Amino acid sequence: QDILGDRLVRPRKASRKLDNFISEVTSLSTGDIVVHVEHGIGRFAGLRTVEAAGAPHDCLELHYAGGAKLFLPVENVDLLTRYGSEDSEVQLDRLGGAGWQQRKARLKKRVRDIARDLVRLAAQRMTRAAPKLAAAHGAYEEFVAKFPWDETDDQSRAIDATLADLAAGRPMDRLVCGDVGFGKTEVALRAAFAAAASGKQVAVVAPTTLLARQHHRNFKERFAGTPHSVGRLSRMVGAPERRETKLALADGSLDVVVGTHAVLGKDVEFKDLGLVVIDEEQHFGVVHKERLKKLRAEVHVLTLSATPIPRTLQLALTGVRDLSIIATPPVDRLAVRTFVTPFDALMLREALLRERFRGGQSFYVCPRIDDLGEAAEFLAKTVPEARFVVAHGRMAATELEDKIGAFYEGEYDVLLSTAIVESGLDIPRANTLVVHRADMFGLAQLYQLRGRVGRSKARAYALFCVPAERPVTAQAEKRLKVLQSLEGLGAGFTLASHDLDLRGAGNLLGDEQSGHVKEVGYELYQRMVTDAVAALKRGEEAPAEDAWSPTISLGAPATLPASYVADEQVRLQLYRRLADVEGDAEIDAFAAELIDRFGPAPPEVGQLMKLVAVKTLCRRANVARVEAGPKGVTLAFRDDSFDDPAALMRWLAQTPDARVRPDKRIVFQRDYASLEERLDGARDILRRLAAMAERKKAA
């Protein structure tokens, strides 16, 4: 430590479930269009506290066609999904109308056909054999030791999952969705080393020459000192080197090739290709993807993306492709401060000079090559103190490489360029970004551009300029609003789901952008496909049943008091996560997190946790309704059925205070002196029923 200094280490946290992560990032806001699984499309009007059975109960107020209102208790929020961002054309459903149920039944049938195809795809992949790739232990440890930072939790999990896939003996198809600068490249480096050490060739494909150049430098550095060779193929490589690289790939003397689309050329032959790494796959066109699909049959494929395209994300979420999310930021990383602003020369001068005076560099990005001349004049006139260099994709390869290299070495203060800098360029000293005419860029593009800054410990700033004298389109305004709202670290996955909302997912397997999602909203469609896939994998032919949630009336407060969690948005996020918890261990962990974040909990929080415990037991025991008062507990089963009726009748016969009513409800006549006793009594009864039901299922 005296010689090398301290290493920053963050204590490891328990892994979080993907479902929880998704429900957190797709949290509700007042005014959102939502879908209730039973009642259809409505508008969320906010959280309301209502009196129910003499106790305060937080409910979500939903508005439907004709001014109808529905108050949904927070413990049943899992019945609700977001419709999507694009809601201007949506027709609200009528409460109690038949239209919603008919639409849902129609879609269920179509979803089942899609699921069948997805399962077939996944099964084909599972049945194909692929070489088992794993590096020898000592050599791998030596390679890992060259990584100068400490792995984050998510990064470690992604690396472990990728290496396990490579060693499994079937073709890997894994998507690593990690935010810009969160360490996806390290996952690719370790996978590439495992493949090369197993005697296989590796192809790393990047969308731009600049990113390919950077990856080549990284791979060359990390593979130095190992017996494996690294070559490159792109526009920046001279003809003799290109020829040599292709010959070396064909005869097997080159282990790793890093390049652009050139790697996918018809004249490129591999002797023994084992792994293809695709970086930022959203930039590749249909032709390139078809070429990759041909390679995919027996080759391992690792896809890296900060903002995956809707269909890729959709396939990953339905379980057809494996998904790893890297959402933990590196230690000491700060979020980029984002400003959407009308073009103002004085403000831009100030921003660029401030960056120069603190010893940093800036990017100035224009949408088209034609805009660069005007922007260069503006910089020369407004910020004469700053040295700038111009770069764009139509430059000669050597000239472009020289200019980017000079900027990288710190010879210039500002890089004036088109969006060619968007993908993966890593210049830690550059911490201010100005985007000219930000309304002309796509959402993922803007997000990637913002990821070029803030890659060190310094605070970074991103200014997205829009025309001062004329309005921008509604769609562009929506994109910029989404971007400004996603300021936090690790927002790439959130942005991908917003992009999915804005553009629609379409049909997963065909190339038509079908209207399935428009009928029930993205999130519910997603859930229906996932459920149908899971049912088919279990061998069930009947359509998957709808989500359901028990009705619970225990006369206990069901609320996180506003005095405890003041922000309504945060309360909604917590309710949404709470709806997904299962089992006592998860409930205890959630309660501990609340105390950690908001301080000692008031009694209502403890009662809410018990209510959630009762709800999880109801689902396990197939109980649709529970009511409890000072004189006892009444419960009703879903569809009047229980998994083990014989065991139930034996238990009821041995319980003197239990009886079955003519309407098939079971009543336990007991005196409860306090609310705590009542909650504990209901929980004990349901625990016994859940254990009986699960014993029968296990048998």
Side-chain angles (χ1 to χ4, degrees):
Q1 275 173 312
D2 288 347
I3 297 165
L4 299 173
D6 288 333
R7 281 188 90 172
L8 283 166
V9 180
R10 172 183 285 143
R12 297 227 178 262
K13 280 195 293 208
S15 68
R16 53 181 162 176
K17 289 198 305 188
L18 176 63
D19 296 348
N20 289 355
F21 182 72
I22 292 166
S23 54
E24 251 183 278
V25 300
T26 54
S27 56
L28 296 173
S29 304
T30 304
D32 276 357
I33 296 291
V34 290
V35 185
H36 188 293
V37 77
E38 288 299 324
H39 304 294
I41 299 170
R43 190 178 292 276
F44 172 55
L47 267 181
R48 302 283 179 269
T49 305
V50 298
E51 283 287 318
H57 209 114
D58 272 0
C59 292
L60 287 79
E61 186 182 331
L62 309 177
H63 291 181
Y64 284 87
K69 291 182 184 179
L70 176 73
F71 289 91
L72 179 73
V74 285
E75 68 270 19
N76 300 135
V77 71
D78 47 334
L79 296 178
L80 212 59
T81 51
R82 265 172 84 248
Y83 178 82
S85 298
E86 187 57 80
D87 56 22
S88 50
E89 306 297 316
V90 180
Q91 184 75 41
L92 300 186
D93 282 308
R94 295 192 75 80
L95 261 186
W100 164 251
Q101 295 297 346
Q102 287 166 357
R103 265 198 342 270
K104 194 170 62 170
R106 263 200 322 272
L107 186 61
K108 259 190 179 177
K109 188 178 177 307
R110 279 179 281 170
V111 160
R112 194 148 182 78
D113 296 337
I114 290 171
R116 215 170 255 120
D117 290 340
L118 288 174
V119 169
R120 194 173 63 243
L121 266 180
Q124 281 170 358
R125 204 179 94 219
M126 299 296 272
T127 52
R128 278 201 299 265
K132 294 185 180 183
L133 308 181
H137 192 64
Y140 178 73
E141 297 304 316
E142 206 175 304
F143 183 78
V144 169
K146 291 183 189 171
F147 184 52
W149 293 280
D150 210 59
E151 296 92 352
T152 62
D153 305 341
D154 290 350
Q155 198 179 15
S156 293
R157 280 195 289 276
I159 290 165
D160 293 345
T162 305
L163 293 178
D165 284 354
L166 289 173
R170 60 174 188 270
M172 171 173 79
D173 190 5
R174 180 168 289 277
L175 166 68
V176 177
C177 179
D179 217 353
V180 275
F182 276 31
K184 299 186 295 293
T185 309
E186 183 61 20
V187 182
L189 277 161
R190 296 194 191 181
F193 182 77
S198 306
K200 294 285 178 184
Q201 289 176 303
V202 180
V204 181
V205 191
T208 64
T209 49
L210 295 182
L211 183 53
R213 169 185 179 272
Q214 184 173 296
H215 278 330
H216 177 254
R217 194 170 62 236
N218 282 345
F219 273 73
K220 198 98 174 147
E221 267 175 35
R222 286 296 293 280
F223 276 81
T226 70
H228 310 298
S229 51
V230 179
R232 65 173 176 157
L233 274 179
S234 79
R235 194 168 69 87
M236 286 183 169
V237 178
E241 190 185 334
R242 257 204 307 270
R243 230 180 357 261
E244 273 174 43
T245 303
K246 286 175 186 174
L247 285 170
L249 285 173
D251 66 23
S253 56
L254 184 63
D255 300 306
V256 181
V257 64
V258 182
T260 54
H261 310 71
V263 174
L264 305 173
K266 286 179 183 152
D267 57 341
V268 179
E269 295 292 331
F270 292 88
K271 187 181 182 192
D272 191 4
L273 182 63
L275 171 68
V276 175
V277 178
I278 306 160
D279 197 9
E280 303 299 352
E281 60 109 39
Q282 68 271 21
H283 290 288
F284 290 94
V286 175
V287 176
H288 302 117
K289 285 186 180 166
E290 286 307 313
R291 170 97 170 114
L292 286 166
K293 273 181 195 165
K294 289 192 180 96
L295 297 173
R296 216 170 256 208
E298 55 289 325
V299 172
H300 296 287
V301 179
L302 179 64
T303 307
L304 314 175
S305 182
T307 50
I309 56 170
R311 187 170 304 174
T312 303
L313 184 61
Q314 181 87 331
L315 285 167
L317 292 179
T318 44
V320 175
R321 297 181 67 175
D322 299 307
L323 173 68
S324 294
I325 292 178
I326 302 181
T328 325
V331 174
D332 264 15
R333 179 66 54 86
L334 297 170
V336 179
R337 286 269 160 81
T338 305
F339 304 93
V340 177
T341 169
F343 185 86
D344 180 343
L346 196 63
M347 186 177 68
L348 294 183
R349 170 180 162 78
E350 209 171 287
L352 295 170
L353 282 182
R354 187 183 55 209
E355 188 58 59
R356 181 172 178 265
F357 291 145
R358 68 172 180 170
Q361 295 170 288
S362 306
F363 291 108
Y364 194 106
V365 180
C366 296
R368 298 172 302 221
I369 292 176
D370 300 349
D371 302 324
L372 292 174
E374 194 185 323
E377 269 178 49
F378 165 76
L379 286 174
K381 190 170 137 193
T382 315
V383 201
E385 302 92 333
R387 296 158 303 163
F388 68 89
V389 62
V390 181
H392 58 78
R394 285 198 203 143
M395 281 182 169
T398 47
E399 186 188 358
L400 182 61
E401 184 151 13
D402 289 346
K403 287 185 170 179
I404 295 289
F407 182 69
Y408 188 84
E409 298 301 331
E411 291 175 27
Y412 295 97
D413 302 312
V414 181
L415 176 65
L416 172 59
S417 75
T418 53
I420 56 163
V421 298
E422 115 187 40
S423 290
L425 202 65
D426 188 5
I427 301 177
R429 238 192 344 255
N431 281 308
T432 292
L433 165 76
V434 177
V435 179
H436 180 68
R437 286 301 304 270
D439 54 308
M440 293 175 71
F441 290 89
L443 185 57
Q445 244 185 336
L446 289 170
Y447 187 74
Q448 288 281 7
L449 283 168
R450 187 171 70 179
R452 294 315 103 222
V453 293
R455 300 174 77 93
S456 63
K457 293 180 186 179
R459 169 72 77 187
Y461 300 89
L463 285 83
F464 295 109
C465 299
V466 294
E469 67 286 348
R470 63 176 182 274
V472 298
T473 65
Q475 201 70 355
E477 194 176 341
K478 197 172 281 187
R479 286 197 296 270
L480 291 165
K481 269 188 186 156
V482 165
L483 195 72
Q484 202 167 12
S485 70
L486 300 178
E487 269 211 323
L489 292 163
F493 188 88
T494 323
L495 178 123
S497 32
H498 273 289
D499 210 18
L500 200 65
D501 292 342
L502 288 167
R503 293 201 275 165
N507 187 321
L508 282 164
L509 303 162
D511 50 10
E512 76 275 10
Q513 291 291 314
S514 67
H516 295 354
V517 178
K518 290 284 179 217
E519 291 190 25
V520 294
Y522 166 65
E523 221 175 313
L524 182 60
Y525 176 70
Q526 175 61 53
R527 194 185 280 182
M528 286 167 83
V529 175
T530 310
D531 289 348
V533 168
L536 285 169
K537 280 182 178 172
R538 290 194 300 269
E540 294 170 11
E541 276 307 309
E545 62 174 29
D546 286 339
W548 68 279
S549 203
T551 303
I552 300 167
S553 176
L554 304 179
T559 175
L560 289 169
S563 56
Y564 184 55
V565 182
D567 190 314
E568 185 178 291
Q569 192 67 37
V570 174
R571 286 213 319 278
L572 262 174
Q573 273 182 11
L574 292 169
Y575 283 139
R576 225 174 146 169
R577 277 181 53 206
L578 200 52
D580 291 330
V581 299
E582 291 165 11
D584 292 344
E586 283 188 32
I587 293 169
D588 291 345
F590 191 89
E593 184 192 324
L594 286 181
I595 293 165
D596 187 38
R597 284 174 68 178
F598 305 105
E604 293 96 326
V605 174
Q607 288 157 354
L608 178 63
M609 294 302 140
K610 285 185 179 175
L611 197 78
V612 172
V614 166
K615 178 192 162 185
T616 60
L617 290 166
C618 282
R619 292 178 76 98
R620 284 162 55 192
N622 204 37
V623 171
R625 189 176 191 89
V626 184
E627 292 168 355
K631 295 293 178 190
V633 177
T634 306
L635 52 90
F637 292 108
R638 256 178 99 226
D639 309 322
D640 297 328
S641 67
F642 184 67
D643 286 315
D644 192 350
L648 175 65
M649 295 318 292
R650 278 199 304 277
W651 179 55
L652 292 177
Q654 294 160 9
T655 311
D657 56 5
R659 65 187 178 83
V660 182
R661 286 193 339 206
D663 60 2
K664 296 186 181 173
R665 295 194 174 197
I666 300 172
V667 179
F668 295 85
Q669 289 175 312
R670 295 175 182 180
D671 287 325
Y672 295 122
S674 67
L675 179 57
E676 294 298 325
E677 270 185 42
R678 194 190 312 167
L679 286 165
D680 291 339
R683 193 169 57 174
D684 291 343
I685 290 167
L686 284 156
R687 196 168 271 152
R688 184 72 184 263
L689 289 168
M692 268 190 269
E694 279 160 1
R695 261 200 307 274
K696 179 68 176 175
K697 278 179 192 160

